[in-house]
Amino acid sequence: MYFDIYYVILVLPTVILALIAQARVKSTFNTYSKVFNRRGMTGAQVAEAILHGAGIYDVQIMPIQGSLTDNYNPSTKVVSLSESVYGSTSIAAAGVAAHECGHAIQHHVGYAPLQFRNAIIPITQIGSRLSMPLILAGLVFTYFTSGSYAGSNFAYTLIYIGIAAFGLSVLFQVVTVPVEFNASRRALDILGSSQLLEQDEVGHAKKVLSAAAMTYVAAMAQSLAMLLRLLLIFGRGRDRR
């Protein structure tokens, strides 16, 4: 039986971290979704006020089904707010709506990390789809060409191309973290300076956005751990040849 020590010491801790981050963001959101902002503004109204305050009038605000499915699509210029945000007057809704508007503002001002992330999306999507099939194909070739130097070389070439393809999806995760933190910072600054929320309410919104940000940190850590695991496993495998 094969015991994957690299999974245990590298990947498993990040999986646990991701589960904790997901539980924390849901718990924090649920807590502050029951605390309503004093101005009585819905998430959609907060989003509209922020966008117009930034001089952005060509971005639509639309409801979307699901929970915590909020997003900004730069290609369609649509801020999509989930059912628990769009029509809610909670502090959590205001914070999430402001965060998505933070992305719209990033897009409007040409924030470089967001532009870079958007530019690499097509190749990262291709990489994430092809990485595992390429690695598996390489493993199959390794098994059937164990006695052939040329065949084994080709097999490891496939594996390393697969690892490189996986690395592209890791790059996306790495770039995403500063983009998300910057959107939250913009959101909190605007919520406070425009007085859409009172200062104590901004503090509560910060807790919601900080919890959400940790899910991106956990996802990045998990991807990096997986990449390192692949490099260690197949690097050792080639050294033993």
Side-chain angles (χ1 to χ4, degrees):
M1 181 180 292
Y2 174 69
F3 179 69
D4 189 349
I5 186 63
Y6 296 126
Y7 184 88
V8 174
I9 65 175
L10 293 174
V11 180
L12 187 58
T14 64
V15 171
I16 295 171
L17 176 64
L19 292 173
I20 292 172
Q22 287 289 344
R24 182 166 173 254
V25 72
K26 289 179 181 178
S27 173
T28 307
F29 182 85
N30 288 338
T31 296
Y32 290 104
S33 65
K34 299 171 185 174
V35 181
F36 302 102
N37 67 78
R38 297 187 187 100
R39 293 192 63 180
M41 296 183 71
T42 66
Q45 290 171 333
V46 168
E48 182 179 48
I50 290 174
L51 292 175
H52 290 179
I56 301 173
Y57 294 91
D58 60 346
V59 171
Q60 290 182 288
I61 304 163
M62 310 210 31
I64 187 174
Q65 291 185 338
S67 176
L68 298 177
T69 51
D70 313 84
N71 66 88
Y72 170 67
N73 188 329
S75 62
T76 59
K77 291 191 173 183
V78 173
V79 169
S80 298
L81 301 178
S82 61
E83 297 165 344
S84 55
V85 171
Y86 186 88
S88 172
T89 59
S90 71
I91 290 175
V96 171
H99 174 85
E100 299 308 331
C101 289
H103 287 308
I105 294 172
Q106 288 174 336
H107 186 210
H108 181 70
V109 301
Y111 179 61
L114 178 68
Q115 291 180 320
F116 179 68
R117 187 181 74 168
N118 292 341
I120 65 174
I121 285 176
I123 60 171
T124 58
Q125 289 177 334
I126 293 171
S128 65
R129 284 196 295 265
L130 293 181
S131 59
M132 288 304 114
L134 284 169
I135 291 172
L136 289 173
L139 289 173
V140 171
F141 270 96
T142 300
Y143 179 78
F144 286 107
T145 61
S146 58
S148 166
Y149 180 81
S152 186
N153 265 353
F154 177 71
Y156 272 95
T157 297
L158 285 179
I159 290 172
Y160 291 142
I161 292 174
I163 293 174
F166 182 76
L168 291 174
S169 62
V170 175
L171 175 63
F172 179 82
Q173 296 285 359
V174 171
V175 175
T176 291
V177 170
V179 170
E180 295 298 331
F181 272 84
N182 180 266
S184 290
R185 182 185 60 76
R186 290 174 188 268
L188 294 169
D189 287 347
I190 292 171
L191 287 173
S193 62
S194 62
Q195 297 185 336
L196 292 171
L197 293 182
E198 301 292 339
Q199 284 305 311
D200 62 318
E201 294 176 326
V202 173
H204 297 326
K206 183 178 181 179
K207 292 179 182 178
V208 175
L209 297 184
S210 296
M214 287 309 299
T215 63
Y216 294 100
V217 173
M220 179 187 70
Q222 190 171 349
S223 295
L224 286 169
M226 284 292 295
L227 178 61
L228 180 57
R229 170 177 169 263
L230 290 171
L231 290 171
L232 288 171
I233 288 174
F234 293 109
R236 285 183 62 205
R238 187 153 201 171
D239 289 342
R240 287 195 296 266
R241 288 177 54 217

